[in-house]
Amino acid sequence: MPALIERNASARHSIALETVDATHLAAVRKRLTAPQRRALDDSGFIAAPGTFALINDASGKLVRVLAGVSAGDSFGALSGLPVTLPEATYHLADESVLADPRQAALGWAFGAYQFTRYRRAKRAPATLAVAADDLKKLQPLIEATALVRDLVNTPTEDMGPPHLAAAIKQLGKTHKASVREWVGDELLKANFPTLHAAGRASYREPRLIELSWGKASHPKIVVVGKGVCFDTGGLNIKTGDGMRWMKKDMGGAAHAIALAGLIMQAKLPVRLTLLVSAVENAVSGSAIRPGDVITTRSGITVEIDNTDAEGRLVLCDALTYGAEQKPDLMLNFATLTGAARVALGPDLPALFANDDALSADMVKASRAVNDPVWPMPLWAPYRKLLDSHVADLVNSAPSRHAGAITAALYLERFVPSAIPWMHLDTYAWNDADRPGRPRGGEAMGLRAVFEVLQQRYPR
């Protein structure tokens, strides 16, 4: 059952869902019958956010739901209801107290998501009937978010580098885009040595997948995603706790794939290149070692300080290749550093940009669409932390200070300053169930980036 349906004749028997806050509860009570008021009082409902009360008619039939909300939080207003209300179809009552009903509907849809590849859903979510125009605008965002969640939630055995490639090929087929890939030693022949080195220890060969779409005459944008399908840490192996959820280390690729789908579905007037570096950071006799030096596609030499800093290795060759196309804009998503989580926690992707106007647009858009990001500095004095005594730079600073910043500075070395570029260091995960944010894979920063692209490249 879909989370949202069009409010038309088929939904005419839907149940009214009225959002109310404590300020307006008295006025709502006046519209109820005496028995309904008594039942409401007996329930203890005081319109606290996240609570609801069922209103029945004289025959006991459910005719209305009162949902407590904070009037300023449209996005979160309904997000906990799809899996707690009785299974039925509802519509937002005209009397509702909400600043933005469309955002409320989006929150509802996100709250209805369930990952059911390996087990049945505990129950079917309730459905919300919305206006046709709202459904048209929201459905692509709902599908893109579900795609990110599905890709990240799928364990590595079923979501390795070949599976990521298959997802991109299916996307290309859907939107008539061209797709090609370089696999295994083809990466060396095509001069992607750093990407190859980061993934060569796995029995599933590393690969770079490229999707191209749009008219050549349109402004070019390049979207790059980190697709580390599992991260053991390599020879600098992680602890068991640190490795437990590393199936999600391809979350950047999931975001990039979903964004590409949004761009193509919206038919933005751009020439799109999607690049996904897909590897497993495994342990074997062919694994890269601390102290090894790699000559990257750009010619910059990199000394491996820590094999667990592989994300920047799989990205740097892709960024160099993307920059060779001289795009109007380049961006990447990556689950890159634990340091970003220490600084900002799990909910806020760290945003780095080499263009102040681009960064400002992102922050503004993130607030407008309730998809928060937090700007962080590309602090040039910290570049010295990446100095190597045998190569041009190290892949990981020996100090734990400013880990998210030094990782971003590493990536910046592979992006010409003339190309506007932004890097989102995202967690791509919810550690616990919350309304609208079920435990597991999560899209973070996706809608904000898409909003910026729609503003920069209007149809």
Side-chain angles (χ1 to χ4, degrees), residues 16-17 35 59 108 117 143 158 176 252 289 307-308 338 340 398 403 427 441:
L17 172 61
S59 67
W108 175 287
R117 178 164 180 169
E143 292 172 357
D158 294 325
K176 296 181 173 57
R289 298 166 290 263
T307 63
D308 196 19
Y427 192 44

Side-chain angles (χ1 to χ4, degrees), residues 24 58 101 122 140 146 191 223 245 261 306-307 312 326 330 395-396 438:
H24 296 85
K122 294 180 179 179
N191 193 23
V223 179
W245 299 110
N306 189 322
T307 63
R312 60 206 76 181
K326 297 180 172 53
M330 187 157 67
N395 76 319
S396 177

Side-chain angles (χ1 to χ4, degrees), residues 303-370:
E303 181 185 11
I304 305 303
D305 176 80
N306 189 322
T307 63
D308 196 19
E310 85 297 330
R312 60 206 76 181
L313 298 177
V314 306
L315 287 172
C316 66
D317 281 351
L319 289 171
T320 299
Y321 176 64
E324 290 167 5
Q325 302 181 33
K326 297 180 172 53
D328 185 66
L329 173 65
M330 187 157 67
L331 62 99
N332 67 262
F333 294 92
T335 51
L336 202 62
T337 67
R341 309 287 69 79
V342 172
L344 300 176
D347 294 348
L348 289 173
L351 168 67
F352 297 88
N354 65 359
D355 181 285
D356 289 343
L358 179 60
S359 179
D361 287 348
M362 268 295 294
V363 172
K364 183 178 179 181
S366 75
R367 291 171 179 166
V369 299
N370 290 291

